[in-house]
Every structure is written in structure tokens, then in C-alpha cells.
Amino acid sequence: MATPHTHLTILTGASRGMGLSMAQRLLHADHHLLCVSRQRNDELTARAQASGAQLTQWTLDLSDATTAAERLGAWLGAQATASIASVTLINNAGVIPPIGPLGTCPPQELTRALRVGLEAPMLLTGAFLRATQAWVDAGWRGPRKVLNISSGLGRHAMAAQAPYCAAKAGMDHFTRCCALEEAQHAHGAQLVSLAPGVIDTDMQKQLRAGDPALFPDRERFVSLQQQGQLTSPDEAAERVLAYLARADFGSHAVADVRD
């Protein structure tokens, strides 16, 4: 039997920011990368062709997480596992609704933030674990990993950020729960909810553009940029993927890349 050689990775929010940087770094000849984003990225297609990597892109709105999870489960169930050496899910997509007190947040924006930031990672993780457990039950023995991209705001409350903080706190805690569940299995998956540090992305621009009257911590984010304390998306992606590759990945269900 041929040695499995393909490393399969599913990555959400891959069309820009740190997600795009991670996708670019995962384009190798021995990788199959499935990107799930609202928009297709033609640059990734070109880079995949140049590197010999296998790239699949789905244009999906993760606020419809049920559809995305059902599609992922079916897709994983159809894969030929004999060639797959490892499988990883990276839940990276997130949304910050209009910045301000909870009472000022439009209900539809609050709903979207929680669906993309918490409901989608939970449903996708559930679909991933079910489908790949079926691989294990059939004799497959490669490593299974789930990396949830969290935030320090999931661990430290901030005014005007209730939806985002709540989504990331929920991500941390459901990761803890699933890690306990998987630890009961002989070939369980490894799960980590990882804070990637403060990154210079569009999300940071949104925070700096907040109304000072509604967002008392705005100046903190302005100062981070002025003092050069923001990590570039490419550097953050390198650190996150290095953490994913650590031999002790999964030893702590909730972690910070700066630890």
C-alpha cells in the first residue's frame, strides 16, 4: 500500500488578512487546501497552480452555517482516505459588528456576528469530527486537528465589544468541552483555541475608526498602531502555523501564540 502523502486542511476566512497569509503558506505540493470564504481569491488559484498544490475554494456565507457544515461533512465523507496523511480544520473567520454598547447594535448585525464567530465554528467542528471519526472507525490513523482562531477579547472583557467578546469566549469554552470529549477516544482529535496576538488587519482599522463616545478603548488601538505594536498578517500566520505544527499541540485546549 502506498504511503499517505496528502495533508488536507480546511480553512475558513481565507480570502484576506491572516487567513489569506495562512492559505498562501499552506500551498505546497503535498497539500490539499479547502478554503471557505465569502469571496474567491484568484491570487490563491494562481499560486496553487505555480506550486503544484491542490486548492479547492468554496464561496459560502458562514452566517448560513448549517448549509456549510452539511456540505463539509458530505465532502469529507467522499474523500479517498488512503492518500491522506493528516486532516486539519482551521476556523478563522470572524465578524465585528458596529462598535458600541450592546443596546445600539442592530439585531441583524448581532445575529450575524454570533453565527459567523461561534455557531459556524461549532457546526463545522461537529461536522469535521463526525466525518473524520468515520475514517478512524474504518481504520484510518492519521492525526486530526482543529485549530480555532480566538482572541484575547474572549478572555478579557471590553466595552462596546460584547458580541465579538462573547463569540470568542464561547469558542474557547466549546473547544475545552470538545477536547475533553475527544480525549475519551483512543484516536481522538486534538483541539486548540488559539489567540494569535494583535494583528494589523481590516478589523483593527474598524476598531480605530470607532466613535470615541461609544468606544472608550478606541485610543488603545490607535496607540498600538502608532507605537508599531501590531503584528503583520504574514508574521501572525507564520506563528499560528508554527503552533499548529508543535509536537505538543492539543496539550492546552486554550492557548496564546505569545505564550
Side-chain angles (χ1 to χ4, degrees), residues 173-189:
H173 216 44
F174 99 72
T175 303
R176 291 185 180 101
C177 294
C178 290
L180 290 172
E181 294 163 0
E182 290 298 307
Q184 306 303 309
H185 302 298
H187 302 285

Side-chain angles (χ1 to χ4, degrees), residues 95-117:
V95 173
I96 289 185
I99 298 167
L102 185 62
T104 68
C105 185
Q108 66 273 21
E109 296 291 341
L110 172 59
T111 298
R112 175 172 171 74
L114 292 177
R115 283 181 172 171
V116 174

Side-chain angles (χ1 to χ4, degrees), residues 117-129:
L118 181 56
E119 182 180 282
M122 290 188 77
L123 287 172
L124 291 172
T125 298
F128 175 88
L129 293 175

Side-chain angles (χ1 to χ4, degrees), residues 65-157:
T66 300
T67 297
E70 289 175 349
R71 184 174 179 183
L72 177 62
W75 186 81
L76 286 170
Q79 297 304 302
T81 58
S83 65
I84 297 175
S86 69
V87 60
T88 301
L89 169 64
I90 305 176
N91 283 307
N92 170 69
V95 173
I96 289 185
I99 298 167
L102 185 62
T104 68
C105 185
Q108 66 273 21
E109 296 291 341
L110 172 59
T111 298
R112 175 172 171 74
L114 292 177
R115 283 181 172 171
V116 174
L118 181 56
E119 182 180 282
M122 290 188 77
L123 287 172
L124 291 172
T125 298
F128 175 88
L129 293 175
R130 283 192 300 276
T132 58
Q133 181 61 48
W135 297 3
V136 172
D137 293 343
W140 187 81
R141 289 295 180 265
R144 298 182 291 148
K145 297 181 180 181
V146 176
L147 175 59
N148 290 323
I149 302 300
S150 184
S151 169
L153 291 183
R155 301 159 199 181
H156 305 283

